[in-house]
Amino acid sequence: MSLILRTLAASDPGLVRTNNEDVAFAGRRLIAVADGMGGAPAGEVASDIVIRALAPVERSAPDREPLAALLEAIAAANRGIREVADADPANEGMGTTVTAALLSGDRLAVAHVGDSRGYLMRGGTLRQLTRDDTFVQALVDQGGLTPAEARRHPQRSLVTRAVQGAPVEPATTALTAEPGDRLLLCSDGLSDVVEDHAIAWALTAHPDRQQCAEQLVKLVQQAGAPDNVTVVVADVGPE
Ligand code: MN
């Protein structure tokens, strides 16, 4: 079956930061979120590079293997970030997360580096499609921290992998999309301060994508919005 995405992106600097280093893409086949790091302006430059490299994937041939298209674009972005970092010492250390999903027919490919997340809401159940590349997630995996402790850990924002000009292999997931699926991509500005059950509630309670995104941003603001927040809400449906 040929399916498309109906999408909406929202981004907000939050209540503490003055700049916004998050960038999003919301097309009919491709959705992506990148959360830049490295301090202004380097973080914004890095997240912009990765989204610019991904954007043409929206128009890639329908018979192209979707995961290969995503990985090639992320590799190109990684080289671009290396070049910009090398050109100016002020950009050293610049990098970005990336979480991208591409729909091809009914095949959905997800590629991921860092701590921006992808979620799938299907049949009333929220499933996280990505695993954070963070210090605290590694501790949780080793049994050294509970997920609740990880949420409050002072180093919860410490990312262990990023697209920053060094070799990096994105984590990948592939699944068969179904009409009625709702996808959410978000930066850690959402998932650090809003728990999964509240995210699930917002995704369920607001069929309207705009209202849904506004509700998610509102939940972040109610939690103090210490970081930039970006959400992409995407509904899978027939073309
Ligand atoms: Mn962030």
Side-chain angles (χ1 to χ4, degrees), residues 104-118:
S104 198
D106 65 353
R107 291 184 302 158
L108 185 79
V110 181
H112 161 78
V113 180
D115 66 350
S116 301
R117 288 185 178 177

Side-chain angles (χ1 to χ4, degrees), residues 17 22 35-36 115 187-189 227-228:
R17 303 207 175 168
D22 290 357
D35 178 349
D115 66 350
S187 60
D188 65 334
D227 190 9
N228 308 147

Side-chain angles (χ1 to χ4, degrees), residues 150-175:
R151 299 186 65 81
R152 295 187 298 270
H153 198 283
Q155 285 175 291
R156 63 185 174 275
S157 296
L158 191 61
V159 171
T160 50
R161 298 193 330 138
V163 182
Q164 53 187 163
V168 67
E169 197 174 318
T172 59
T173 306
L175 59 111

Side-chain angles (χ1 to χ4, degrees), residues 6 28 31 43 55 96 116 169 192:
R6 291 178 172 83
R28 288 162 59 90
I31 52 175
T96 182
S116 301
E169 197 174 318
D192 268 1

Side-chain angles (χ1 to χ4, degrees), residues 6 13 16 43-44 58 60 67 72 102 113 116-117 150 153 188 203 207 218 229:
R6 291 178 172 83
V16 175
E44 282 153 276
E58 165 82 7
S60 64
L67 206 46
E72 189 178 294
L102 180 65
V113 180
S116 301
R117 288 185 178 177
H153 198 283
D188 65 334
L203 290 171
K218 191 172 152 194
V229 55

